[in-house]
Amino acid sequence: MSVAPFVVLACGNPSRGDDAIGPALLARLATWLDEEGLADAFELIEDFQFQIEHALDLKDRCAALFIDAGEHTPAPFALCPVDAHAPPSHSTHAISPAAVLAVYHRVVKAPVPTCDTLCVCGESFELGDGLSPAAAAYIEAAWPALQSWCREAVCAGTENEKA
Amino acid sequence: MSYHLETAEHPERLRRVAIDPVSRVEGHGKVTLLFDEANKVQQVRLHIVEFRGFEKFIQGRPYWEVPVMVQRLCGICPVSHHLAASKAMDHIVGARRLTPTAEKIRRLMHYGQILQSHALHFFHLCSPDLLFGFDSEVGKRNIVGVAEKHPETARRGVLIRKFGQEAIRITAGKRIHGTGAIPGGVNKSLSVAERDLLLKDAYQIVGWCRDAVHLARELHETDPALYNSFGIFRSHTMSLVGPDGAMDLYDGRLRARDDQGGIYFDNVAQADYAKLIQEEVKPWSYMKFPYFRALGNEQGWYKVGPLARVQNCDSIPTPLADAERREFIDYAGGTPMHAALGYHWTRMIEMLHAAETIKDLLHDPDLLGGDLMVTGPRGSEGVGMIEAPRGTLIHHYQVDENDLVTMCNLIVSTTHNNQAMNEAIRHVARRYLYGREVTEGLLNHVEVAIRAYDPCLSCATHALGKMPLTVELRDPDGTLVHSLSRN
């Protein structure tokens, strides 16, 4: 069974304040991809945290994007390539996108897709809280960048097919 | 009540070392150690930030929302909470006995959860310590280091976990926020295609799980002096067992044994848990300390989880896992094993049992049935209990005539093991830290003892940019003397 060429993985717990940033952006993205007729080209994966098995979700993809909330990270957001050579963190209950990529590299032994991280700054992560006003504003700021990433991924994929 | 090394006589005169947060456990915890002028440890405490009000969060919600809402308690074992809440709410809708299809779908979901959780813990949270050594180079002591040095071990860990996640996805409807179990049953059964998707890999998974048991056993046999004594803590044990005394991780009645293996209580209905268990609050920890009421808070603590379950049951109802259980019992020499690292071996026996159970269930035609729900006389109170990956999980609810939850009490596995984890790290501190300079490797020994219990600290939040581990040494007056970071 063939997989969609692009995958967007978002993580976070919707019941813990700004940890809902990832799921909120993913839900919005699903609607937009449908409207744009791009839904078949993307697989959207939501989880509470990034984990080792997500390495398998990168297999046979052209590009992948990890979306997560950040604490003490640049506001409103940072969109940058995943550094596959970054030292793996000592994980608590999650692993970083770089560690997912490292697991992929060691376990799957196949060409690594282009991987980026969209890290949107959050401020409050308490149980039962909704999104903070700041996080809501940061999501609005990040949304055009997310749309652009998807459009560019599709264009790059189309050009590769032509080549 | 205070135990040796729990509270120092003059903490203001002691040097403080904090391990904050504990790495490679679920959520966040902190260990504080107080040292005197001679570097002798005088106080050791594990602090855990628990649910932070989830029980209040649930109050006022309609009961049918609860099995979905409680999945947000924990990002690593949402399925256990989903099923425990569903079992409790079965009593509210009067579902005294589920249909065969509903019960087997739930069991498949649960054993998928056991499989994926145990695989994650052994292969990727603990194998770095076990394969490289507690004092090994910290830069290699992680999952990527394992993948580099032991690529097949790491690959199997990923694929076993993925298989468990697939069982969850197929039974719950999706990877997370699943709605598969609902009060009174389930909302879907398996299609033939879904069953076959799992079945094609099931036998391979059983084989790999058996290999994993042998790996854990070899680690014990290679260094029995370490494995048989590290973090040892003698206590009672508690778990659910089936009606014939066999291991049953989905349902059963409560059994406890004393530290010598004798039956302390048996055949206790889940709804009667509060008659047996009391929770003590200590001023220095957010997490409560449960103990057996009849024994009091000085003698009544107990362990739950794989080490308790494998030794608490009379048998395991799948042949390969039961053979491994007997080998473990023989190795322990006729008395229960209480060493913390015994959790790893028994966890792998349970993982094998989960794989065998999934394989057997996939051959059961009831999984494809269409009779999914039952109801009966409406109730107002329900207790749902399940053996989650980390131990006995208790959900208790009361619901009013408007279908709203008025009371919620949760006792999670990590809470049962609170005293045990504290005692384990005190044992390690006495043995490895007493009178010595503190190094990262020595501090990791403390963390190894905690990780053996696979504590789930219920903080389903995570965010990029958080500092994974900080170690602080402070003077008696609180002045920061030295700080270590693993980042």
Side-chain angles (χ1 to χ4, degrees):
Chain A
M1 191 172 71
S2 62
V3 299
F6 312 107
V7 61
V8 180
L9 305 103
C11 71
N13 185 337
S15 287
R16 290 192 182 269
D18 293 347
D19 207 37
I21 285 173
L25 274 169
L26 201 71
R28 190 167 176 178
L29 181 62
T31 303
W32 181 75
L33 289 172
D34 266 339
E35 292 168 353
E36 296 290 311
L38 296 173
D40 290 345
F42 288 81
E43 184 175 355
L44 308 184
I45 296 172
E46 182 187 340
D47 217 326
F48 284 116
Q49 64 250 319
F50 298 130
Q51 266 302 348
I52 53 173
E53 69 272 14
H54 291 129
L56 302 179
D57 291 316
L58 305 181
K59 196 175 176 186
D60 299 325
R61 310 287 188 179
C62 297
L65 178 67
F66 295 86
I67 304 176
D68 196 3
E71 190 173 20
H72 309 306
T73 51
F77 68 89
L79 177 58
C80 55
V82 178
D83 181 3
H85 302 293
S89 62
H90 261 265
S91 65
T92 53
H93 53 314
I95 63 176
S96 67
V100 174
L101 214 55
V103 171
Y104 176 91
H105 186 67
R106 302 285 182 192
V107 171
V108 180
K109 299 185 186 308
V112 180
T114 302
C115 291
D116 296 300
T117 300
L118 175 60
C119 180
V120 181
C121 184
E123 296 188 344
S124 169
F125 295 86
E126 289 306 308
L127 176 67
D129 285 354
L131 279 172
S132 68
Y138 297 158
I139 284 176
E140 291 306 316
W143 174 239
L146 177 55
Q147 291 173 298
S148 295
W149 187 92
C150 294
R151 287 196 188 100
E152 288 169 13
V154 171
C155 288
T158 305
E159 286 176 10
N160 285 342
E161 277 182 10
K162 286 177 183 172
Chain B
M1 178 62 197
S2 178
Y3 302 93
H4 181 53
L5 292 186
E6 180 182 310
T7 302
E9 282 193 18
H10 298 286
E12 70 283 0
R13 299 178 191 169
L14 303 173
R15 188 166 59 101
R16 180 172 182 270
V17 179
I19 307 174
D20 180 14
V22 174
S23 66
R24 281 183 286 142
V25 298
E26 310 308 331
H28 295 286
K30 180 171 72 173
V31 175
T32 57
L33 303 100
L34 296 188
F35 288 81
D36 63 16
E37 300 293 338
N39 271 342
K40 290 184 177 175
V41 63
Q42 295 294 330
Q43 178 178 293
V44 184
R45 290 172 172 176
L46 171 62
H47 309 258
I48 290 172
V49 177
E50 212 191 353
F51 281 158
R52 297 190 294 186
F54 207 92
E55 289 157 332
K56 292 286 182 192
F57 184 58
I58 290 295
Q59 284 181 19
R61 301 265 180 181
Y63 74 82
W64 58 80
E65 279 187 2
V66 173
V68 176
M69 290 299 300
V70 294
Q71 294 177 73
R72 298 178 184 182
L73 276 163
C74 174
I76 206 73
C77 49
V79 172
S80 301
H81 289 291
H82 177 57
L83 289 172
S86 298
K87 289 180 70 177
M89 296 310 176
D90 288 343
H91 297 282
I92 303 301
V93 301
R96 292 187 176 178
R97 188 180 185 88
L98 298 184
T99 68
T101 295
E103 177 165 334
K104 288 171 186 175
I105 291 286
R106 285 190 186 183
R107 283 181 179 273
L108 181 58
M109 189 190 304
H110 182 51
Y111 283 92
Q113 162 76 359
I114 294 283
L115 188 76
Q116 63 89 4
S117 180
H118 282 1
L120 178 73
H121 183 264
F122 182 74
F123 287 101
H124 293 284
L125 299 182
C126 287
S127 66
D129 294 318
L130 304 180
L131 295 174
F132 297 136
F134 307 167
D135 292 315
S136 59
E137 183 189 346
V138 66
K140 295 285 185 188
R141 208 191 306 139
N142 54 57
I143 61 169
V144 179
V146 172
E148 189 171 357
K149 293 287 185 188
H150 305 272
E152 183 59 16
T153 299
R155 190 178 76 89
R156 288 182 180 187
V158 173
L159 294 174
I160 292 171
R161 179 166 159 91
K162 180 74 173 179
F163 180 82
Q165 296 284 56
E166 282 296 286
I168 293 168
R169 182 185 65 78
I170 286 171
T171 50
K174 46 187 179 176
R175 287 190 188 193
I176 60 168
H177 312 311
T179 57
I182 52 180
V186 297
N187 64 9
K188 72 181 283 288
S189 56
L190 257 63
S191 68
V192 171
E194 289 170 331
R195 181 200 62 189
D196 292 348
L197 180 70
L198 292 175
L199 201 51
K200 72 179 173 60
D201 293 326
Y203 288 86
Q204 177 70 79
I205 295 296
V206 169
W208 286 349
C209 289
R210 196 179 187 193
D211 290 345
V213 181
H214 295 164
L215 173 59
R217 188 178 71 194
E218 286 167 16
L219 290 166
H220 275 257
E221 290 171 343
T222 302
D223 193 353
L226 171 70
Y227 278 81
N228 295 346
S229 64
F230 185 84
I232 193 166
F233 164 62
R234 296 190 178 280
S235 73
H236 288 69
T237 54
M238 185 184 79
S239 69
L240 294 173
V241 294
D244 54 355
M247 174 179 280
D248 189 337
L249 302 180
Y250 175 75
D251 199 21
R253 294 169 79 87
L254 284 168
R255 170 186 283 181
R257 293 184 187 270
D258 61 29
D259 66 341
Q260 296 299 309
I263 295 286
Y264 174 59
F265 60 71
D266 199 4
N267 203 29
V268 175
Q270 296 177 17
D272 291 335
Y273 81 93
K275 295 176 183 172
L276 299 171
I277 297 170
Q278 186 154 342
E279 294 178 276
E280 182 183 15
V281 175
K282 300 200 180 192
W284 52 268
S285 177
Y286 287 104
M287 183 173 268
K288 294 175 181 174
F289 290 78
Y291 59 92
F292 294 144
R293 279 177 188 272
L295 295 174
N297 62 354
E298 294 184 29
Q299 304 294 329
W301 4 283
Y302 55 93
K303 291 193 283 282
V304 299
L307 187 62
R309 290 188 294 233
V310 167
Q311 300 185 101
N312 225 12
C313 67
D314 299 326
S315 63
I316 295 179
T318 53
L320 297 178
D322 195 51
E324 299 297 343
R325 180 193 67 85
R326 290 196 300 270
E327 295 239 0
F328 176 83
I329 298 295
D330 289 346
Y331 177 88
T335 57
M337 179 185 284
H338 291 286
L341 296 179
Y343 268 96
H344 299 305
W345 187 350
T346 50
R347 191 171 286 116
M348 291 302 91
I349 293 172
E350 287 191 345
M351 188 172 79
L352 174 58
H353 171 52
E356 287 184 286
T357 301
I358 290 170
K359 182 257 295 174
D360 291 345
L361 280 169
L362 292 171
H363 288 289
D364 191 323
D366 282 341
L367 282 185
L368 309 176
D371 193 6
L372 305 180
M373 292 285 297
V374 290
T375 56
R378 174 77 153 68
S380 60
E381 185 166 7
V383 174
M385 214 175 278
I386 200 164
E387 285 296 332
R390 293 152 186 83
T392 313
L393 171 62
I394 302 171
H395 278 225
H396 183 184
Y397 303 95
Q398 290 172 351
V399 177
D400 68 12
E401 62 276 10
N402 298 314
D403 292 344
L404 303 179
V405 174
T406 56
M407 188 284 291
C408 168
N409 186 42
L410 308 174
I411 305 180
V412 303
S413 326
T414 300
T415 305
H416 294 294
N417 279 333
N418 195 2
Q419 186 68 35
M421 288 189 292
N422 270 280
E423 288 300 318
I425 62 172
R426 285 168 196 149
H427 182 271
V428 171
R430 281 193 295 270
R431 181 165 171 180
Y432 293 98
L433 299 179
Y434 210 78
R436 298 182 66 177
E437 289 295 327
V438 176
T439 64
E440 192 282 332
L442 283 172
L443 289 173
N444 191 51
H445 280 68
V446 172
E447 294 188 90
V448 167
I450 298 168
R451 280 199 286 275
Y453 287 85
D454 190 15
C456 179
L457 305 184
S458 75
C459 171
T461 303
H462 91 281
L464 295 174
K466 279 191 172 178
M467 187 72 77
L469 178 67
T470 302
V471 182
E472 293 180 346
L473 288 77
R474 292 181 182 273
D475 275 342
D477 63 0
T479 304
L480 183 66
V481 176
H482 185 54
S483 177
L484 291 174
S485 170
R486 289 192 175 170
N487 205 8

